[in-house]
Amino acid sequence: MKNLKGKTAIITGSGRKGGIGEAIAVLLAKRGCHVVISDIGTATGKNFSKSHIGTTSEMKSIVKAIKEAKGSAIAIPCDVRKAKSVKEMVDKTVKKFGSLDIMVNNAGVGYIMEPFEEFKEASWDAVLDVNLKGAFLCSQAAAVQMIKQGKGGSIINIASQAAKSGFPYAAAYTASKHGMIGLTRSNAVELGQHKIRVNAVCPNHITTGLGHWQNKFFSDKLGLEYDDYLQSIKDKNPLGRTGQVDDIAKAVAFLASNEASYVTGEAMNVSGGEEYH
Ligand SMILES: NC(=O)c1ccc[n+]([C@@H]2O[C@H](COP(=O)([O-])OP(=O)(O)OC[C@H]3O[C@@H](n4cnc5c(N)ncnc54)[C@H](O)[C@@H]3O)[C@@H](O)[C@H]2O)c1
């Protein structure tokens, strides 16, 4: 099925192997889309160390794999916290592929967790800057380009179950993801006149690099073995499993396509029935 043939998509935070962004990019490329693998690329300070980010060499290897599968992809490093970097990413994309039709705001920080009484201002800023300000800057730059093109577009925000429910130690993460839903709804209402659809996807737990860190953090907090903690998540899920990166990629491919031409302002749970409001 090549139902995205000729479209161009940017997927932020897609440069980390095994991540949700990589899976989205691979599937959109299979559906015929030109994809931009975008990520911060270079370690900067303790919150963005090499073990937490998509590096430029990982980005290149994801592009190589997509091309080997006959897809179309390029890598563009971008720090979503910086308006200049975001604008350059959009400009380079349009220069290379001629348009921007799909923006997937997937870049996120989910490994800064602290008890609320001790939550540091710097930690709050670090999370909100990537998860919410980053989505704002990328959505804005994408909308400006899509309005200029005059043929509509699709913006998809990768939120979380934490956009609908609260989680301990995760005040900043939970607030940022709830904020993403507000951004989604506001943009859907305002950008509909330009035929730009804006939706969010809300995954539950997926053991990516970030998910693995969260498993360790919460199993330690609860005094459980890592595998027992994972099993406890599966046990409370109506479908009896955790999410897979492909579950999210398929939802994004749907929302990006014409199959979803009357869907906007939606915050779609992809959580095996764990979250349903
Ligand atoms: N894994 C889960 O259980 C889960 C559940 C719900 C939502 N999510 C969300 O899905 C998205 C992807 O997460 P993932 O689990 O694939 O983790 P991941 O760590 O593989 O992906 C996050 C990516 O964001 C990038 N990033 C961080 N700061 C950035 C910046 N300033 N500029 C550009 N890129 C930056 C990282 O380099 C990384 O590649 C995140 O927004 C996360 O909050 C994940």
Side-chain angles (χ1 to χ4, degrees), residues 13 15-16 19-21 39-40 48 52-54 78-81 106-109 130 158-160 173 177 203-206 208-211 214:
R16 193 169 182 198
I20 293 170
D39 212 305
I40 192 165
F48 301 93
H52 284 134
I53 62 154
C78 169
D79 184 338
V80 297
R81 297 170 297 175
N106 170 75
V109 168
V130 178
I158 306 303
S160 172
Y173 186 77
K177 294 295 185 178
N204 66 329
H205 176 75
I206 302 174
T208 56
L210 184 156
Q214 290 179 346

PDB file of all heavy atoms in Angstrom, residues 13 15-16 19-21 39-40 48 52-54 78-81 106-109 130 158-160 173 177 203-206 208-211 214, ligand 1:
ATOM      1  N   GLY A  13      12.922  13.444  16.572  1.00  0.00           N
ATOM      2  CA  GLY A  13      13.319  12.402  17.532  1.00  0.00           C
ATOM      3  C   GLY A  13      13.287  11.005  16.930  1.00  0.00           C
ATOM      4  O   GLY A  13      13.060  10.027  17.631  1.00  0.00           O
ATOM      5  N   GLY A  15      15.846   9.507  15.387  1.00  0.00           N
ATOM      6  CA  GLY A  15      17.204   9.015  15.139  1.00  0.00           C
ATOM      7  C   GLY A  15      17.706   8.016  16.152  1.00  0.00           C
ATOM      8  O   GLY A  15      18.892   7.686  16.170  1.00  0.00           O
ATOM      9  N   ARG A  16      16.828   7.526  17.018  1.00  0.00           N
ATOM     10  CA  ARG A  16      17.298   6.572  18.032  1.00  0.00           C
ATOM     11  C   ARG A  16      16.827   5.168  17.671  1.00  0.00           C
ATOM     12  O   ARG A  16      15.628   4.949  17.485  1.00  0.00           O
ATOM     13  CB  ARG A  16      16.765   6.980  19.405  1.00  0.00           C
ATOM     14  CG  ARG A  16      17.456   6.252  20.531  1.00  0.00           C
ATOM     15  CD  ARG A  16      17.108   6.858  21.877  1.00  0.00           C
ATOM     16  NE  ARG A  16      17.817   6.163  22.933  1.00  0.00           N
ATOM     17  CZ  ARG A  16      17.500   6.207  24.207  1.00  0.00           C
ATOM     18  NH1 ARG A  16      16.472   6.944  24.605  1.00  0.00           N
ATOM     19  NH2 ARG A  16      18.191   5.536  25.101  1.00  0.00           N
ATOM     20  N   GLY A  19      13.413   3.166  18.595  1.00  0.00           N
ATOM     21  CA  GLY A  19      12.439   4.136  19.114  1.00  0.00           C
ATOM     22  C   GLY A  19      11.155   4.180  18.285  1.00  0.00           C
ATOM     23  O   GLY A  19      11.082   3.628  17.175  1.00  0.00           O
ATOM     24  N   ILE A  20      10.162   4.859  18.837  1.00  0.00           N
ATOM     25  CA  ILE A  20       8.883   5.018  18.149  1.00  0.00           C
ATOM     26  C   ILE A  20       9.090   5.810  16.846  1.00  0.00           C
ATOM     27  O   ILE A  20       8.508   5.488  15.814  1.00  0.00           O
ATOM     28  CB  ILE A  20       7.876   5.738  19.082  1.00  0.00           C
ATOM     29  CG1 ILE A  20       7.534   4.830  20.271  1.00  0.00           C
ATOM     30  CG2 ILE A  20       6.616   6.141  18.338  1.00  0.00           C
ATOM     31  CD1 ILE A  20       6.731   5.520  21.386  1.00  0.00           C
ATOM     32  N   GLY A  21       9.958   6.828  16.910  1.00  0.00           N
ATOM     33  CA  GLY A  21      10.189   7.672  15.731  1.00  0.00           C
ATOM     34  C   GLY A  21      10.764   6.886  14.570  1.00  0.00           C
ATOM     35  O   GLY A  21      10.350   7.065  13.413  1.00  0.00           O
ATOM     36  N   ASP A  39      16.822  14.413  14.476  1.00  0.00           N
ATOM     37  CA  ASP A  39      17.085  14.202  15.909  1.00  0.00           C
ATOM     38  C   ASP A  39      18.145  15.192  16.359  1.00  0.00           C
ATOM     39  O   ASP A  39      18.786  15.847  15.535  1.00  0.00           O
ATOM     40  CB  ASP A  39      17.541  12.750  16.175  1.00  0.00           C
ATOM     41  CG  ASP A  39      17.082  12.257  17.547  1.00  0.00           C
ATOM     42  OD1 ASP A  39      17.392  12.930  18.555  1.00  0.00           O
ATOM     43  OD2 ASP A  39      16.407  11.223  17.611  1.00  0.00           O
ATOM     44  N   ILE A  40      18.333  15.263  17.661  1.00  0.00           N
ATOM     45  CA  ILE A  40      19.307  16.236  18.192  1.00  0.00           C
ATOM     46  C   ILE A  40      20.732  15.877  17.753  1.00  0.00           C
ATOM     47  O   ILE A  40      21.560  16.745  17.547  1.00  0.00           O
ATOM     48  CB  ILE A  40      19.152  16.368  19.724  1.00  0.00           C
ATOM     49  CG1 ILE A  40      19.928  17.551  20.269  1.00  0.00           C
ATOM     50  CG2 ILE A  40      19.484  15.088  20.434  1.00  0.00           C
ATOM     51  CD1 ILE A  40      19.533  17.952  21.695  1.00  0.00           C
ATOM     52  N   PHE A  48      21.042  15.387  27.978  1.00  0.00           N
ATOM     53  CA  PHE A  48      21.021  14.910  26.590  1.00  0.00           C
ATOM     54  C   PHE A  48      22.314  14.150  26.305  1.00  0.00           C
ATOM     55  O   PHE A  48      23.010  14.410  25.337  1.00  0.00           O
ATOM     56  CB  PHE A  48      20.827  16.096  25.624  1.00  0.00           C
ATOM     57  CG  PHE A  48      19.542  16.835  25.891  1.00  0.00           C
ATOM     58  CD1 PHE A  48      19.516  17.936  26.734  1.00  0.00           C
ATOM     59  CD2 PHE A  48      18.344  16.388  25.353  1.00  0.00           C
ATOM     60  CE1 PHE A  48      18.331  18.596  27.021  1.00  0.00           C
ATOM     61  CE2 PHE A  48      17.147  17.044  25.633  1.00  0.00           C
ATOM     62  CZ  PHE A  48      17.142  18.139  26.461  1.00  0.00           C
ATOM     63  N   HIS A  52      21.070   8.806  25.929  1.00  0.00           N
ATOM     64  CA  HIS A  52      19.648   9.185  25.950  1.00  0.00           C
ATOM     65  C   HIS A  52      19.132   9.725  24.617  1.00  0.00           C
ATOM     66  O   HIS A  52      17.943  10.022  24.500  1.00  0.00           O
ATOM     67  CB  HIS A  52      19.412  10.294  26.998  1.00  0.00           C
ATOM     68  CG  HIS A  52      19.410   9.787  28.395  1.00  0.00           C
ATOM     69  ND1 HIS A  52      20.105  10.412  29.405  1.00  0.00           N
ATOM     70  CD2 HIS A  52      18.824   8.715  28.946  1.00  0.00           C
ATOM     71  CE1 HIS A  52      19.934   9.741  30.532  1.00  0.00           C
ATOM     72  NE2 HIS A  52      19.158   8.708  30.276  1.00  0.00           N
ATOM     73  N   ILE A  53      20.024   9.890  23.659  1.00  0.00           N
ATOM     74  CA  ILE A  53      19.593  10.587  22.428  1.00  0.00           C
ATOM     75  C   ILE A  53      19.837   9.745  21.179  1.00  0.00           C
ATOM     76  O   ILE A  53      20.559   8.753  21.211  1.00  0.00           O
ATOM     77  CB  ILE A  53      20.334  11.941  22.260  1.00  0.00           C
ATOM     78  CG1 ILE A  53      21.848  11.694  22.128  1.00  0.00           C
ATOM     79  CG2 ILE A  53      20.013  12.902  23.378  1.00  0.00           C
ATOM     80  CD1 ILE A  53      22.566  12.780  21.360  1.00  0.00           C
ATOM     81  N   GLY A  54      19.261  10.197  20.096  1.00  0.00           N
ATOM     82  CA  GLY A  54      19.580   9.642  18.782  1.00  0.00           C
ATOM     83  C   GLY A  54      20.811  10.363  18.252  1.00  0.00           C
ATOM     84  O   GLY A  54      20.784  11.582  18.063  1.00  0.00           O
ATOM     85  N   CYS A  78      18.406  18.304  14.217  1.00  0.00           N
ATOM     86  CA  CYS A  78      17.637  19.484  14.646  1.00  0.00           C
ATOM     87  C   CYS A  78      17.382  19.374  16.139  1.00  0.00           C
ATOM     88  O   CYS A  78      16.988  18.317  16.634  1.00  0.00           O
ATOM     89  CB  CYS A  78      16.306  19.532  13.903  1.00  0.00           C
ATOM     90  SG  CYS A  78      15.144  20.746  14.570  1.00  0.00           S
ATOM     91  N   ASP A  79      17.617  20.478  16.830  1.00  0.00           N
ATOM     92  CA  ASP A  79      17.252  20.564  18.244  1.00  0.00           C
ATOM     93  C   ASP A  79      15.897  21.260  18.296  1.00  0.00           C
ATOM     94  O   ASP A  79      15.801  22.463  18.005  1.00  0.00           O
ATOM     95  CB  ASP A  79      18.323  21.361  19.004  1.00  0.00           C
ATOM     96  CG  ASP A  79      18.051  21.389  20.498  1.00  0.00           C
ATOM     97  OD1 ASP A  79      16.882  21.174  20.911  1.00  0.00           O
ATOM     98  OD2 ASP A  79      19.007  21.638  21.260  1.00  0.00           O
ATOM     99  N   VAL A  80      14.857  20.521  18.655  1.00  0.00           N
ATOM    100  CA  VAL A  80      13.491  21.078  18.574  1.00  0.00           C
ATOM    101  C   VAL A  80      13.249  22.228  19.553  1.00  0.00           C
ATOM    102  O   VAL A  80      12.242  22.922  19.458  1.00  0.00           O
ATOM    103  CB  VAL A  80      12.403  19.988  18.780  1.00  0.00           C
ATOM    104  CG1 VAL A  80      12.460  18.937  17.684  1.00  0.00           C
ATOM    105  CG2 VAL A  80      12.493  19.351  20.164  1.00  0.00           C
ATOM    106  N   ARG A  81      14.183  22.447  20.479  1.00  0.00           N
ATOM    107  CA  ARG A  81      14.021  23.548  21.436  1.00  0.00           C
ATOM    108  C   ARG A  81      14.397  24.886  20.814  1.00  0.00           C
ATOM    109  O   ARG A  81      14.196  25.940  21.414  1.00  0.00           O
ATOM    110  CB  ARG A  81      14.911  23.331  22.661  1.00  0.00           C
ATOM    111  CG  ARG A  81      14.573  22.091  23.450  1.00  0.00           C
ATOM    112  CD  ARG A  81      15.638  21.796  24.486  1.00  0.00           C
ATOM    113  NE  ARG A  81      16.933  21.510  23.853  1.00  0.00           N
ATOM    114  CZ  ARG A  81      18.063  21.317  24.498  1.00  0.00           C
ATOM    115  NH1 ARG A  81      18.065  21.383  25.826  1.00  0.00           N
ATOM    116  NH2 ARG A  81      19.186  21.051  23.860  1.00  0.00           N
ATOM    117  N   ASN A 106       7.564  13.889  17.592  1.00  0.00           N
ATOM    118  CA  ASN A 106       7.828  12.680  18.374  1.00  0.00           C
ATOM    119  C   ASN A 106       8.956  12.883  19.396  1.00  0.00           C
ATOM    120  O   ASN A 106       9.041  12.139  20.370  1.00  0.00           O
ATOM    121  CB  ASN A 106       8.193  11.543  17.402  1.00  0.00           C
ATOM    122  CG  ASN A 106       8.721  10.316  18.104  1.00  0.00           C
ATOM    123  OD1 ASN A 106       7.965   9.575  18.710  1.00  0.00           O
ATOM    124  ND2 ASN A 106      10.040  10.107  18.057  1.00  0.00           N
ATOM    125  N   ALA A 107       9.807  13.893  19.200  1.00  0.00           N
ATOM    126  CA  ALA A 107      10.939  14.110  20.120  1.00  0.00           C
ATOM    127  C   ALA A 107      10.402  14.274  21.537  1.00  0.00           C
ATOM    128  O   ALA A 107       9.432  14.999  21.756  1.00  0.00           O
ATOM    129  CB  ALA A 107      11.720  15.354  19.708  1.00  0.00           C
ATOM    130  N   GLY A 108      11.020  13.588  22.464  1.00  0.00           N
ATOM    131  CA  GLY A 108      10.531  13.694  23.833  1.00  0.00           C
ATOM    132  C   GLY A 108      11.576  13.267  24.847  1.00  0.00           C
ATOM    133  O   GLY A 108      12.483  12.496  24.538  1.00  0.00           O
ATOM    134  N   VAL A 109      11.419  13.803  26.038  1.00  0.00           N
ATOM    135  CA  VAL A 109      12.294  13.447  27.158  1.00  0.00           C
ATOM    136  C   VAL A 109      11.408  12.828  28.226  1.00  0.00           C
ATOM    137  O   VAL A 109      10.460  13.453  28.686  1.00  0.00           O
ATOM    138  CB  VAL A 109      12.971  14.717  27.712  1.00  0.00           C
ATOM    139  CG1 VAL A 109      13.635  14.445  29.040  1.00  0.00           C
ATOM    140  CG2 VAL A 109      13.977  15.257  26.719  1.00  0.00           C
ATOM    141  N   VAL A 130      11.560  20.472  25.587  1.00  0.00           N
ATOM    142  CA  VAL A 130      11.548  19.516  24.465  1.00  0.00           C
ATOM    143  C   VAL A 130      10.117  19.120  24.136  1.00  0.00           C
ATOM    144  O   VAL A 130       9.652  19.264  23.002  1.00  0.00           O
ATOM    145  CB  VAL A 130      12.372  18.242  24.797  1.00  0.00           C
ATOM    146  CG1 VAL A 130      12.287  17.248  23.632  1.00  0.00           C
ATOM    147  CG2 VAL A 130      13.822  18.587  25.098  1.00  0.00           C
ATOM    148  N   ILE A 158       2.999  13.066  19.133  1.00  0.00           N
ATOM    149  CA  ILE A 158       3.088  11.827  19.907  1.00  0.00           C
ATOM    150  C   ILE A 158       3.039  12.228  21.382  1.00  0.00           C
ATOM    151  O   ILE A 158       4.027  12.707  21.949  1.00  0.00           O
ATOM    152  CB  ILE A 158       4.374  11.025  19.580  1.00  0.00           C
ATOM    153  CG1 ILE A 158       4.492  10.777  18.054  1.00  0.00           C
ATOM    154  CG2 ILE A 158       4.363   9.699  20.356  1.00  0.00           C
ATOM    155  CD1 ILE A 158       3.307  10.062  17.407  1.00  0.00           C
ATOM    156  N   ALA A 159       1.865  12.072  21.947  1.00  0.00           N
ATOM    157  CA  ALA A 159       1.663  12.447  23.355  1.00  0.00           C
ATOM    158  C   ALA A 159       1.946  11.218  24.213  1.00  0.00           C
ATOM    159  O   ALA A 159       3.028  10.638  24.122  1.00  0.00           O
ATOM    160  CB  ALA A 159       0.260  12.987  23.545  1.00  0.00           C
ATOM    161  N   SER A 160       0.967  10.770  25.002  1.00  0.00           N
ATOM    162  CA  SER A 160       1.231   9.652  25.916  1.00  0.00           C
ATOM    163  C   SER A 160      -0.040   9.343  26.691  1.00  0.00           C
ATOM    164  O   SER A 160      -0.973  10.164  26.728  1.00  0.00           O
ATOM    165  CB  SER A 160       2.319  10.066  26.904  1.00  0.00           C
ATOM    166  OG  SER A 160       2.479   9.107  27.923  1.00  0.00           O
ATOM    167  N   TYR A 173       6.693  15.693  32.962  1.00  0.00           N
ATOM    168  CA  TYR A 173       6.342  14.875  31.793  1.00  0.00           C
ATOM    169  C   TYR A 173       4.826  14.878  31.583  1.00  0.00           C
ATOM    170  O   TYR A 173       4.327  15.096  30.481  1.00  0.00           O
ATOM    171  CB  TYR A 173       6.866  13.447  31.995  1.00  0.00           C
ATOM    172  CG  TYR A 173       6.688  12.531  30.795  1.00  0.00           C
ATOM    173  CD1 TYR A 173       7.535  12.630  29.689  1.00  0.00           C
ATOM    174  CD2 TYR A 173       5.676  11.573  30.754  1.00  0.00           C
ATOM    175  CE1 TYR A 173       7.380  11.795  28.589  1.00  0.00           C
ATOM    176  CE2 TYR A 173       5.511  10.739  29.658  1.00  0.00           C
ATOM    177  CZ  TYR A 173       6.371  10.858  28.575  1.00  0.00           C
ATOM    178  OH  TYR A 173       6.213  10.030  27.484  1.00  0.00           O
ATOM    179  N   LYS A 177       2.739  16.498  28.467  1.00  0.00           N
ATOM    180  CA  LYS A 177       1.932  15.682  27.555  1.00  0.00           C
ATOM    181  C   LYS A 177       0.458  16.117  27.585  1.00  0.00           C
ATOM    182  O   LYS A 177      -0.202  16.118  26.555  1.00  0.00           O
ATOM    183  CB  LYS A 177       2.089  14.194  27.893  1.00  0.00           C
ATOM    184  CG  LYS A 177       3.510  13.662  27.654  1.00  0.00           C
ATOM    185  CD  LYS A 177       3.900  13.708  26.181  1.00  0.00           C
ATOM    186  CE  LYS A 177       5.244  13.084  25.905  1.00  0.00           C
ATOM    187  NZ  LYS A 177       5.620  13.076  24.475  1.00  0.00           N
ATOM    188  N   PRO A 203       0.343   6.731  23.301  1.00  0.00           N
ATOM    189  CA  PRO A 203       0.763   5.359  23.598  1.00  0.00           C
ATOM    190  C   PRO A 203       0.777   5.099  25.096  1.00  0.00           C
ATOM    191  O   PRO A 203       0.933   6.025  25.898  1.00  0.00           O
ATOM    192  CB  PRO A 203       2.213   5.300  23.080  1.00  0.00           C
ATOM    193  CG  PRO A 203       2.469   6.593  22.362  1.00  0.00           C
ATOM    194  CD  PRO A 203       1.476   7.581  22.888  1.00  0.00           C
ATOM    195  N   ASN A 204       0.621   3.819  25.468  1.00  0.00           N
ATOM    196  CA  ASN A 204       0.928   3.462  26.867  1.00  0.00           C
ATOM    197  C   ASN A 204       2.381   3.012  26.888  1.00  0.00           C
ATOM    198  O   ASN A 204       3.205   3.552  26.147  1.00  0.00           O
ATOM    199  CB  ASN A 204      -0.050   2.405  27.410  1.00  0.00           C
ATOM    200  CG  ASN A 204       0.097   1.069  26.704  1.00  0.00           C
ATOM    201  OD1 ASN A 204       0.437   1.026  25.533  1.00  0.00           O
ATOM    202  ND2 ASN A 204      -0.173  -0.009  27.406  1.00  0.00           N
ATOM    203  N   HIS A 205       2.725   1.998  27.691  1.00  0.00           N
ATOM    204  CA  HIS A 205       4.143   1.668  27.807  1.00  0.00           C
ATOM    205  C   HIS A 205       4.679   0.882  26.618  1.00  0.00           C
ATOM    206  O   HIS A 205       4.087  -0.115  26.205  1.00  0.00           O
ATOM    207  CB  HIS A 205       4.414   0.858  29.081  1.00  0.00           C
ATOM    208  CG  HIS A 205       5.850   0.451  29.118  1.00  0.00           C
ATOM    209  ND1 HIS A 205       6.844   1.341  29.430  1.00  0.00           N
ATOM    210  CD2 HIS A 205       6.458  -0.700  28.763  1.00  0.00           C
ATOM    211  CE1 HIS A 205       8.013   0.742  29.288  1.00  0.00           C
ATOM    212  NE2 HIS A 205       7.806  -0.494  28.894  1.00  0.00           N
ATOM    213  N   ILE A 206       5.837   1.305  26.123  1.00  0.00           N
ATOM    214  CA  ILE A 206       6.563   0.573  25.071  1.00  0.00           C
ATOM    215  C   ILE A 206       8.029   0.521  25.500  1.00  0.00           C
ATOM    216  O   ILE A 206       8.613   1.552  25.870  1.00  0.00           O
ATOM    217  CB  ILE A 206       6.464   1.310  23.715  1.00  0.00           C
ATOM    218  CG1 ILE A 206       4.993   1.488  23.312  1.00  0.00           C
ATOM    219  CG2 ILE A 206       7.222   0.545  22.632  1.00  0.00           C
ATOM    220  CD1 ILE A 206       4.778   2.316  22.066  1.00  0.00           C
ATOM    221  N   THR A 208      11.063   0.949  24.591  1.00  0.00           N
ATOM    222  CA  THR A 208      12.110   1.552  23.746  1.00  0.00           C
ATOM    223  C   THR A 208      13.302   1.851  24.669  1.00  0.00           C
ATOM    224  O   THR A 208      13.289   1.452  25.844  1.00  0.00           O
ATOM    225  CB  THR A 208      11.588   2.882  23.180  1.00  0.00           C
ATOM    226  OG1 THR A 208      11.188   3.687  24.313  1.00  0.00           O
ATOM    227  CG2 THR A 208      10.395   2.680  22.272  1.00  0.00           C
ATOM    228  N   GLY A 209      14.284   2.620  24.159  1.00  0.00           N
ATOM    229  CA  GLY A 209      15.384   3.049  25.032  1.00  0.00           C
ATOM    230  C   GLY A 209      14.833   3.823  26.225  1.00  0.00           C
ATOM    231  O   GLY A 209      15.205   3.589  27.389  1.00  0.00           O
ATOM    232  N   LEU A 210      13.890   4.731  25.922  1.00  0.00           N
ATOM    233  CA  LEU A 210      13.267   5.528  26.988  1.00  0.00           C
ATOM    234  C   LEU A 210      12.414   4.623  27.895  1.00  0.00           C
ATOM    235  O   LEU A 210      12.460   4.733  29.124  1.00  0.00           O
ATOM    236  CB  LEU A 210      12.405   6.595  26.317  1.00  0.00           C
ATOM    237  CG  LEU A 210      11.686   7.659  27.125  1.00  0.00           C
ATOM    238  CD1 LEU A 210      11.433   8.865  26.230  1.00  0.00           C
ATOM    239  CD2 LEU A 210      10.378   7.175  27.682  1.00  0.00           C
ATOM    240  N   GLY A 211      11.658   3.724  27.260  1.00  0.00           N
ATOM    241  CA  GLY A 211      10.785   2.816  28.023  1.00  0.00           C
ATOM    242  C   GLY A 211      11.588   1.911  28.948  1.00  0.00           C
ATOM    243  O   GLY A 211      11.177   1.637  30.081  1.00  0.00           O
ATOM    244  N   GLN A 214      12.487   3.788  31.972  1.00  0.00           N
ATOM    245  CA  GLN A 214      11.318   3.924  32.862  1.00  0.00           C
ATOM    246  C   GLN A 214      11.036   2.603  33.603  1.00  0.00           C
ATOM    247  O   GLN A 214      10.697   2.615  34.780  1.00  0.00           O
ATOM    248  CB  GLN A 214      10.087   4.357  32.062  1.00  0.00           C
ATOM    249  CG  GLN A 214      10.192   5.791  31.563  1.00  0.00           C
ATOM    250  CD  GLN A 214       8.988   6.229  30.740  1.00  0.00           C
ATOM    251  OE1 GLN A 214       8.180   5.419  30.320  1.00  0.00           O
ATOM    252  NE2 GLN A 214       8.886   7.527  30.488  1.00  0.00           N
TER     253      GLN A 214
HETATM  254  N1  LIG B   1       8.202   4.457  25.194  1.00  0.00           N
HETATM  255  C1  LIG B   1       7.062   4.713  25.795  1.00  0.00           C
HETATM  256  O1  LIG B   1       6.606   3.930  26.644  1.00  0.00           O
HETATM  257  C2  LIG B   1       6.267   5.947  25.451  1.00  0.00           C
HETATM  258  C3  LIG B   1       4.951   6.025  25.922  1.00  0.00           C
HETATM  259  C4  LIG B   1       4.206   7.160  25.633  1.00  0.00           C
HETATM  260  C5  LIG B   1       4.758   8.181  24.891  1.00  0.00           C
HETATM  261  N2  LIG B   1       6.041   8.102  24.453  1.00  0.00           N
HETATM  262  C6  LIG B   1       6.567   9.227  23.686  1.00  0.00           C
HETATM  263  O2  LIG B   1       7.008   8.775  22.435  1.00  0.00           O
HETATM  264  C7  LIG B   1       8.052   9.632  21.958  1.00  0.00           C
HETATM  265  C8  LIG B   1       9.232   8.771  21.520  1.00  0.00           C
HETATM  266  O3  LIG B   1       9.736   8.101  22.645  1.00  0.00           O
HETATM  267  P1  LIG B   1      10.556   6.730  22.585  1.00  0.00           P
HETATM  268  O4  LIG B   1      10.003   5.861  23.626  1.00  0.00           O
HETATM  269  O5  LIG B   1      10.670   6.259  21.199  1.00  0.00           O
HETATM  270  O6  LIG B   1      11.968   7.190  23.165  1.00  0.00           O
HETATM  271  P2  LIG B   1      13.349   7.566  22.470  1.00  0.00           P
HETATM  272  O7  LIG B   1      14.243   8.008  23.545  1.00  0.00           O
HETATM  273  O8  LIG B   1      13.768   6.456  21.586  1.00  0.00           O
HETATM  274  O9  LIG B   1      12.935   8.796  21.535  1.00  0.00           O
HETATM  275  C9  LIG B   1      12.950  10.125  21.949  1.00  0.00           C
HETATM  276  C10 LIG B   1      13.814  10.869  20.961  1.00  0.00           C
HETATM  277  O10 LIG B   1      13.692  12.285  21.203  1.00  0.00           O
HETATM  278  C11 LIG B   1      14.965  12.842  20.912  1.00  0.00           C
HETATM  279  N3  LIG B   1      15.145  14.155  21.504  1.00  0.00           N
HETATM  280  C12 LIG B   1      15.291  14.469  22.822  1.00  0.00           C
HETATM  281  N4  LIG B   1      15.528  15.781  22.953  1.00  0.00           N
HETATM  282  C13 LIG B   1      15.526  16.314  21.686  1.00  0.00           C
HETATM  283  C14 LIG B   1      15.708  17.613  21.169  1.00  0.00           C
HETATM  284  N5  LIG B   1      15.952  18.645  21.982  1.00  0.00           N
HETATM  285  N6  LIG B   1      15.636  17.795  19.831  1.00  0.00           N
HETATM  286  C15 LIG B   1      15.389  16.752  19.014  1.00  0.00           C
HETATM  287  N7  LIG B   1      15.222  15.489  19.440  1.00  0.00           N
HETATM  288  C16 LIG B   1      15.287  15.281  20.769  1.00  0.00           C
HETATM  289  C17 LIG B   1      15.948  11.828  21.473  1.00  0.00           C
HETATM  290  O11 LIG B   1      17.235  12.021  20.937  1.00  0.00           O
HETATM  291  C18 LIG B   1      15.293  10.505  21.072  1.00  0.00           C
HETATM  292  O12 LIG B   1      15.767  10.075  19.814  1.00  0.00           O
HETATM  293  C19 LIG B   1       8.367  10.589  23.095  1.00  0.00           C
HETATM  294  O13 LIG B   1       7.734  11.820  22.868  1.00  0.00           O
HETATM  295  C20 LIG B   1       7.767   9.899  24.318  1.00  0.00           C
HETATM  296  O14 LIG B   1       7.409  10.807  25.315  1.00  0.00           O
HETATM  297  C21 LIG B   1       6.803   7.002  24.708  1.00  0.00           C
END
